[in-house]
Amino acid sequence: MPIPTKTFKAALFTAIAATGLAASPAMADHHASSASQQQSPNIVETAVSTGVHTTLVAAVQAAGLVETLSAPGAVTVFAPTDTAFAKLPDGTVANLVMPENKEALTGILTYHVVGGRITSAMILDYIHSGGGVARIETLAGGVLEARLSGETIVVTDGAGRATAVTTADVSTSNGIIHVTDGVFLPG
C-alpha cells in the first residue's frame, strides 16, 4: 500500500499561501529571520549547511522550489549528495538546470519529495507490513520502492536504480531529510 501524499499542485499552493507572499518583502524577511532564530533550520537551510548538497541546492534554486521547500508544513526529502549527482552521465545536471528544462527538473526534484514527516522507523514499519517492500508516493506522482539490504534502507526508483539512504532522519523545522547516494529518476 502506498504511503499517501498530496498532489504537487495542492502542496505547492499550500506552501505558497504559507509563505505569506502577499506580505511585503521586508515583512517576509523580518518574519523569516525571527522564525529561524526560534526554531531549527528548514529543509533548504539544512541542505545549504551540509556542504555536500551544493548541486541539489542549485537545482532547487533553478527549479524555483526554494520557497516551497522552505515553507512551514511537513515534507520528507530524499536528498542526493553532490557525489550522487556526479554519478549521472556527463552534462545531465548542466542540461537540467537550463531555464528551458525547468519543468523536467521540477519533476525530478519533486520525485524526491514525499508529503508528511516520514521517519526511517516509519519506512521500516511500511517495509515490514508490506511484505518486504514499502511503496512510497512522491509529490511528482511517482512511486518509489523501499526495501532493506542488511540494515540499510535501499530505495528503487522508476528506472529500476537502487539508491541507499546513507543518513536518515535529519530533522528540520518543516520536515525530514534522508541523505541518499543516488539520484532518483522517474523511469
Side-chain angles (χ1 to χ4, degrees):
M1 177 169 140
I3 298 170
T5 186
K6 300 183 238 178
T7 65
F8 174 65
K9 271 189 186 172
L12 181 60
F13 290 134
T14 301
I16 289 172
T19 62
L21 291 177
S24 73
M27 288 179 66
D29 288 343
H30 172 71
H31 176 69
S33 66
S34 296
S36 65
Q37 290 172 2
Q38 296 172 357
Q39 59 184 321
S40 62
N42 64 43
I43 287 171
V44 175
E45 292 166 336
T46 301
V48 167
S49 73
T50 67
V52 297
H53 290 103
T54 318
T55 307
L56 177 62
V57 171
V60 166
Q61 291 170 336
L65 294 174
V66 171
E67 288 183 21
T68 301
L69 293 176
S70 298
V75 295
T76 299
V77 175
F78 291 92
T81 62
D82 294 337
T83 304
F85 278 102
K87 293 178 187 177
L88 294 172
D90 287 342
T92 301
V93 174
N95 186 46
L96 282 171
V97 297
M98 297 174 81
E100 61 268 23
N101 296 323
K102 184 176 180 178
E103 186 176 329
L105 178 61
T106 300
I108 290 170
L109 292 174
T110 57
Y111 190 57
H112 290 76
V113 182
V114 179
R117 287 175 129 6
I118 311 297
T119 65
S120 61
M122 293 169 70
I123 295 171
L124 291 173
D125 286 345
Y126 295 135
I127 290 170
H128 293 303
S129 65
V133 64
R135 294 176 49 77
I136 305 168
E137 290 184 35
T138 70
L139 292 185
V143 175
L144 301 169
E145 292 186 347
R147 294 177 175 80
L148 276 178
S149 176
E151 294 184 10
T152 302
I153 296 172
V154 176
V155 181
T156 303
D157 63 18
R161 297 162 20 107
T163 297
V165 173
T166 57
T167 303
D169 300 323
V170 178
S171 185
T172 71
S173 65
N174 63 337
I176 293 177
I177 296 173
H178 300 299
V179 179
T180 63
D181 68 357
V183 177
F184 302 151
L185 300 174

